[in-house]
Amino acid sequence: MIRLDGRKTNEKREVKITRNYTMYAEGCVLIEIGNTKVICTATVVEKVPPFLKNQGKGWITAEYSMLPRATGERNQREAAKGKLGGRTMEIQRLIGRALRACIDLEKLGERTITIDCDVIQADGGTRTTSITGGFIALEMAMRRLIEKGLLTENPIIANIAAISVGTVKGTPILDLMYTEDSEAEVDMNVIMNDKGEFVEIQGTGEEATFSRKELNELLDLAEKGIYELIDIQRKEIEEEFSK
Amino acid sequence: MIRLDGRKTNEKREVKITRNYTMYAEGCVLIEIGNTKVICTATVVEKVPPFLKNQGKGWITAEYSMLPRATGERNQREAAKGKLGGRTMEIQRLIGRALRACIDLEKLGERTITIDCDVIQADGGTRTTSITGGFIALEMAMRRLIEKGLLTENPIIANIAAISVGTVKGTPILDLMYTEDSEAEVDMNVIMNDKGEFVEIQGTGEEATFSRKELNELLDLAEKGIYELIDIQRKEIEEEFSK
Amino acid sequence: MIRLDGRKTNEKREVKITRNYTMYAEGCVLIEIGNTKVICTATVVEKVPPFLKNQGKGWITAEYSMLPRATGERNQREAAKGKLGGRTMEIQRLIGRALRACIDLEKLGERTITIDCDVIQADGGTRTTSITGGFIALEMAMRRLIEKGLLTENPIIANIAAISVGTVKGTPILDLMYTEDSEAEVDMNVIMNDKGEFVEIQGTGEEATFSRKELNELLDLAEKGIYELIDIQRKEIEEEFSK
Amino acid sequence: MIRLDGRKTNEKREVKITRNYTMYAEGCVLIEIGNTKVICTATVVEKVPPFLKNQGKGWITAEYSMLPRATGERNQREAAKGKLGGRTMEIQRLIGRALRACIDLEKLGERTITIDCDVIQADGGTRTTSITGGFIALEMAMRRLIEKGLLTENPIIANIAAISVGTVKGTPILDLMYTEDSEAEVDMNVIMNDKGEFVEIQGTGEEATFSRKELNELLDLAEKGIYELIDIQRKEIEEEFSK
Amino acid sequence: MIRLDGRKTNEKREVKITRNYTMYAEGCVLIEIGNTKVICTATVVEKVPPFLKNQGKGWITAEYSMLPRATGERNQREAAKGKLGGRTMEIQRLIGRALRACIDLEKLGERTITIDCDVIQADGGTRTTSITGGFIALEMAMRRLIEKGLLTENPIIANIAAISVGTVKGTPILDLMYTEDSEAEVDMNVIMNDKGEFVEIQGTGEEATFSRKELNELLDLAEKGIYELIDIQRKEIEEEFSK
Amino acid sequence: MIRLDGRKTNEKREVKITRNYTMYAEGCVLIEIGNTKVICTATVVEKVPPFLKNQGKGWITAEYSMLPRATGERNQREAAKGKLGGRTMEIQRLIGRALRACIDLEKLGERTITIDCDVIQADGGTRTTSITGGFIALEMAMRRLIEKGLLTENPIIANIAAISVGTVKGTPILDLMYTEDSEAEVDMNVIMNDKGEFVEIQGTGEEATFSRKELNELLDLAEKGIYELIDIQRKEIEEEFSK
């Protein structure tokens, strides 16, 4: 199968990371995966939500939003509608859950990290891009807490990254862009750590179903892509903190 | 491992279906899986949402809610809070997506089926129970449209059911009740059809990660449970319509 | 006048009470009056609303809701609309006010009882059925507080029950079902205690007016019905607690 | 019993009507009953709500609000809270229902009359004052539709007015002001037409109950007060339209 | 240019102040400027918003609303819509900001004054009328705090008033009524103190632009009008407190 | 006076424009003025709001938002709060009004242009930067409508730009950054066209007042800054469309 942008079936799009894209946040990157662009910031606050008070543990939460014209047609702002849509809630719950799986909340101490993922331009894979970029912002924030003496040990226990895989016209492919995503028979988001263990799998075939064999092929593709993303994440962190 | 209620690791809870539990809906069951009780109703309306107008296709959508005291502690009503929570939205999107995968929307014609899943009592697995019960309500509504001459052919293309699986203290188990769910390292919901094909998989390890091997063991358990549920669904439908 | 279901004008519908219909609440009944079915639960919380803090008094409040397909046509959920309608607010204020009238709030102590009335199926009289069932749930919760040693004396000062009466085609009748209610010239809800004293009367003639004579006939009917309901309530409580 | 303001038990407060208090509405009065002041306006719109389309009938609806400092302590605006409270909804539903009972909606034709009742100052009885004043605004609007040739016949079929009665320290009294209302054992609002027929009765004894005998005494008081109010309404209408 | 109501271009409308129009507020006036009528009340509360806690300073805030039929066509209530519109928010922020500019918040001490401006009838200039009337209500409340011994010194540091100016068919005019406002090329609101200093200027030419020369002519007109309004304010305060 | 960043009192910050920053919108720039960064996009839709239907005229509207971490401390999202704040509403009304003043809505035809201004990073002057950048996005969209043959004539009638001026420690300065803005005695936003005519002036002295002389000095500064911004806007448009 020849993909529209000439990629091989097991080839992810080009990744570009701009560290410190904005100046106030404790951690910030602009992550571009193909034409998908997301600003991920990590904000550290020295308190925890009520349900965690006085337990010596921290919390990670995430919020996700798209600019109205991040897409081909303009979407109404959720602030104007007066409520968050189901898709937004589902995505930000996923991002938060994934990032909590890579951190030791007790080592974090009584502080909350909010990861804001704002999609500037969308071309498929915005939720997985948010997790991959959000991890870098989180790691940057952790390193800065150590630099400031607020933490003695990095609470991150594993690198994580995420990627989408799917089946288009019967062929399993890696890292779907929007036109591929909209015609996929199976659509799967995989979040994995650097040891090849799953953090979360979400696979759906809205108009179709998929077999155990297909599932395995898709998971193989995802694993390859995630290892590549984790290499990029590590190089960025290293460059930032070897300065 | 001995489970609290004496079940084997690959044993699901007892299932009880009360058909026509309420009298107005086109399809209705009270489904009880262990102590989890959900009223599932199917409502047929002869029109479609705006985005489907004049395309000759139908639509399936789902809504999910819990009575405030369905759980050990009372939860505030979402109607009183003035908005649906993220968990509710995620679940009702999942139910709708799953049920759309088992129906030929073109054969359904320009009508909308709303599946309401109201949890009367919750003891784990409310979303999978809603899908399993929701399918029966949907099938009942389809059969009645045929009986009334509004449909000539049943638009349902496959039976589907759903079940939860998870890993508790390292052991993979089938159909988790609440106390098991709250201490599970891995929590997975599997939706499958009667040919053993996946409709959707959602697996997460909030405090932990899981390997490919564990994934496969959990999927084996789920498959067994789903085949048993589909047998029950079929028997109920047969009894109802052989009258 | 012959009523649709063969009842006499002064005859109420059959009443069926299922105690402990759900398992978590401090008090719970499923009450069925004809085809009207309501789950009433009482939840006890050991604190009071801000306006009652440190006054040594308790509080009773009520919430009312209908499942979307409790009626012939499906109603949109209030949680989905994002607000409670006027009818819901009016009814839940009425239920709370009525139940507060039968209890000594000082004897209750600094705790709040929330009575949730969820209508599973509606065929007229849902608000009066909620009060009659809600009273049983409340009484059950009080008895259990005594059994647990949290109360030494039952704070309930009188049994209360409620019923609807109305005038259809000029004839006063007791306990209207939906088809009667929708064509009634006068519609009245009466809440009374076991001494024949009124707790609340609400009578309206939206398309008509009514005379003092008619009022008196309707109140006579209501009194008869309420005494019968109170007998049923007492028998249920006795059975539950003589175990 | 000597009342705080020197009135007899069966004596209502002084009533002052300022017709055409504002200049745009089709009907408008400022009604003052003692220290309670309400601006009632009637707005005529030449269309009906969706549920009445093409039935040749009109509609009457009402809205009720209090200025934040109409009372001793300032209340937060409902517009600022983002929703109408239960009390407001209950009152505006009552006003609308009462005024619909005094008009022939078919003679009104396909138009909607909105009665706005804005309480400028509150000293008890704001809902009954709104109905009494709202009736005058409605009658004024009807007369003007006739003057303009938009109606040939007045659709009003009966004069209505409303008043509160209650029991304070065991004594039944007419037209309670705020200090009386807040210590009343029984609180009742009565809406009646000029033939002495009831439009609506709402009687409650939140901390107490009341007997049939008390009910009758209160209804006698109300009837006297309502006849006096109807006389005042008629005189105002006459003065306005004999000009 | 001859104005519709016969005024000269530099002539403001007749002003009428009714002090103590309602009885509960710490300060209250009904201000009528031509046909524009606004009830302005000042409410004093002995606490401050969270952001000012324990700073020894007070706060002034304002709220603005129009009765639905204050205008030629009825407007839907913002409480019914469930949110404040942009115009309302803009106006109440302006009123609050203006009134904070005329008071020494430290001398006020830890208390909050809320100025409610409720437009009973609108004929142009409702925001400037609210500021002019709101100032009197505020001054009245301050004097009463002094009378009660709660303040030793008046925290008001300058009289302020506000007026609209604008250009209609090329001619600058003072104090626009609604018909003038709706055809104005330039519309400007000016808030000034008794020393001729500006508190705020807002000038806009939605369909047109304006030159520096025009700006200066409009400011000259505004200054004249504001001095006249301040004279009226002073006289009212004097009359009220020389009693 | 020496400014923190070394600028002269009449010197604006460096301006950087990135055209076509995102790829879907009909017009798009990233505008950076000092550390303030705003993405401005223009979206063209071939219909108008209801109040303009069938009048042959178009409409321009604007929306404004800040990313949560655009500022030193994270702000809660308005979508999460469920409503737009007063500041946001005031700003987006201002941007829309300003841009409507530079276009002939009849020449635009029955289409709506929405200008979205999303603040990525805030360091003072976000509303004026939004107007200056929004104008370029609007002009780009107009040129593209001409290129596509959808318009024959450019409906823009004048270039507009906006800048802030203010008085800090008694000295009037141009283009305030955040630290200056927060200590300014007078804060003024000026919107002007290329002929030196005002589109809108908003000047306020929250803790102080200002004289006519100060007003004139501030307007002189603003005029200088705006002419410089308009030169930059023109150069960008020229470069884009001479390609």
Side-chain angles (χ1 to χ4, degrees), chain A residues 13 15-22 27-41 62-67 70 87 91 95 115-137, chain F residues 21-22 39 67 77 120:
Chain A
R13 290 176 288 179
V15 178
K16 188 176 160 200
I17 308 284
T18 307
R19 298 190 307 272
N20 306 307
Y21 182 71
T22 64
C28 176
V29 295
L30 169 66
I31 178 166
E32 301 174 62
I33 296 194
N35 282 321
T36 292
K37 300 183 185 190
V38 184
I39 300 176
C40 302
T41 63
E63 297 195 3
Y64 169 95
S65 183
M66 286 220 263
L67 294 202
R87 182 183 171 274
I91 293 176
I95 302 171
I115 306 295
D116 283 295
C117 302
D118 285 273
V119 180
I120 298 304
Q121 193 169 276
D123 188 24
T126 62
R127 78 186 71 186
T128 50
T129 302
S130 294
I131 291 168
T132 303
F135 177 80
I136 308 178
Chain F
Y21 182 70
T22 63
I39 299 177
L67 294 202
R77 286 175 198 268
I120 298 303

Side-chain angles (χ1 to χ4, degrees), chain B residues 21 26 69 74 116 122, chain C residues 21 23-24 26 69 74 116:
Chain B
Y21 182 70
E26 283 71 32
R69 200 56 197 284
R74 184 177 185 278
D116 284 293
Chain C
Y21 181 71
M23 71 184 185
Y24 298 111
E26 283 70 32
R69 199 58 198 281
R74 184 177 185 275
D116 283 294

Side-chain angles (χ1 to χ4, degrees), chain C residues 57 59 83-87 89-90 93 97 100-101 105 127 188 193 196-212 215-216 219-220 223, chain D residues 57 59 83-87 89-90 93 97 100-101 105 127 188 193 196-212 215-216 219-220 223:
Chain C
K57 291 171 58 176
W59 190 242
K83 59 179 178 184
L84 297 175
R87 181 182 172 275
M89 289 222 197
E90 200 170 305
R93 282 162 57 90
R97 211 159 55 224
R100 282 193 296 278
L105 293 173
R127 78 186 72 188
M188 186 170 297
N193 68 13
E197 291 168 334
F198 298 114
V199 171
E200 184 137 349
I201 303 176
Q202 293 195 338
T204 185
E206 185 151 341
E207 311 268 310
T209 53
F210 54 105
S211 65
R212 186 77 81 92
L215 171 65
N216 282 319
L219 294 177
D220 289 342
E223 190 170 337
Chain D
K57 292 170 59 176
W59 190 243
K83 60 179 177 182
L84 297 176
R87 181 181 172 277
M89 288 221 200
E90 200 170 304
R93 282 162 55 90
R97 211 160 52 224
R100 281 194 296 278
L105 294 172
R127 78 187 71 187
M188 186 170 297
N193 68 13
E197 290 166 335
F198 298 114
V199 171
E200 184 137 348
I201 303 176
Q202 293 196 338
T204 186
E206 184 149 345
E207 312 267 309
T209 51
F210 54 104
S211 65
R212 185 78 80 93
L215 172 64
N216 283 318
L219 293 176
D220 290 342
E223 189 170 337

Side-chain angles (χ1 to χ4, degrees), chain C:
Chain C
M1 195 183 82
I2 300 165
R3 294 171 77 172
L4 275 175
D5 57 355
R7 281 187 287 151
K8 282 179 264 173
T9 56
N10 71 349
E11 190 180 348
K12 70 173 192 335
R13 290 176 286 179
E14 200 181 343
V15 178
K16 186 175 162 204
I17 309 283
T18 308
R19 297 189 309 272
N20 307 307
Y21 181 71
T22 64
M23 71 184 185
Y24 298 111
E26 283 70 32
C28 177
V29 296
L30 169 67
I31 178 167
E32 301 174 63
I33 297 195
N35 283 319
T36 291
K37 301 183 184 188
V38 185
I39 300 177
C40 302
T41 63
T43 294
V44 181
V45 171
E46 297 290 319
K47 61 181 182 185
V48 286
F51 68 90
L52 277 182
K53 280 260 168 74
N54 303 318
Q55 297 182 29
K57 291 171 58 176
W59 190 242
I60 312 274
T61 185
E63 297 196 3
Y64 169 94
S65 183
M66 285 220 263
L67 294 203
R69 199 58 198 281
T71 47
E73 303 213 347
R74 184 177 185 275
N75 293 300
Q76 204 195 341
R77 287 174 196 270
E78 292 181 321
K81 287 189 216 170
K83 59 179 178 184
L84 297 175
R87 181 182 172 275
T88 295
M89 289 222 197
E90 200 170 305
I91 293 176
Q92 61 192 23
R93 282 162 57 90
L94 172 66
I95 301 170
R97 211 159 55 224
L99 292 174
R100 282 193 296 278
C102 70
I103 203 157
D104 181 329
L105 293 173
E106 299 195 0
K107 284 196 189 146
L108 177 57
E110 292 219 352
R111 44 178 68 93
T112 299
I113 317 295
T114 302
I115 305 296
D116 283 294
C117 302
D118 285 272
V119 180
I120 298 303
Q121 194 170 274
D123 188 26
T126 63
R127 78 186 72 188
T128 49
T129 303
S130 295
I131 291 167
T132 302
F135 177 80
I136 309 177
L138 176 62
E139 173 84 59
M140 286 169 77
M142 294 302 99
R143 300 281 190 117
R144 296 216 172 108
L145 287 177
I146 293 169
E147 287 179 350
K148 287 186 197 156
L150 289 165
L151 276 181
T152 50
E153 195 183 349
N154 193 335
I156 288 180
I157 50 185
N159 250 54
I160 68 160
I163 204 156
S164 77
V165 285
T167 308
V168 174
K169 293 183 192 130
T171 307
I173 59 176
L174 178 67
D175 189 20
L176 287 68
M177 53 187 184
Y178 177 71
T179 47
E180 293 171 334
D181 189 68
S182 58
E183 59 172 2
E185 296 101 41
V186 183
D187 182 13
M188 186 170 297
N189 293 300
V190 179
I191 311 169
M192 216 177 231
N193 68 13
D194 49 359
K195 295 166 216 145
E197 291 168 334
F198 298 114
V199 171
E200 184 137 349
I201 303 176
Q202 293 195 338
T204 185
E206 185 151 341
E207 311 268 310
T209 53
F210 54 105
S211 65
R212 186 77 81 92
K213 180 168 165 296
E214 282 176 276
L215 171 65
N216 282 319
E217 288 170 359
L218 290 170
L219 294 177
D220 289 342
L221 277 180
E223 190 170 337
K224 170 181 181 294
I226 282 172
Y227 283 143
E228 292 169 8
L229 289 171
I230 287 175
D231 280 348
I232 293 169
Q233 290 174 326
R234 283 187 171 154
K235 216 187 60 202
E236 291 290 330
I237 292 293
E238 211 164 286
E239 277 182 31
E240 181 70 17
F241 291 94
S242 62
K243 286 187 300 198

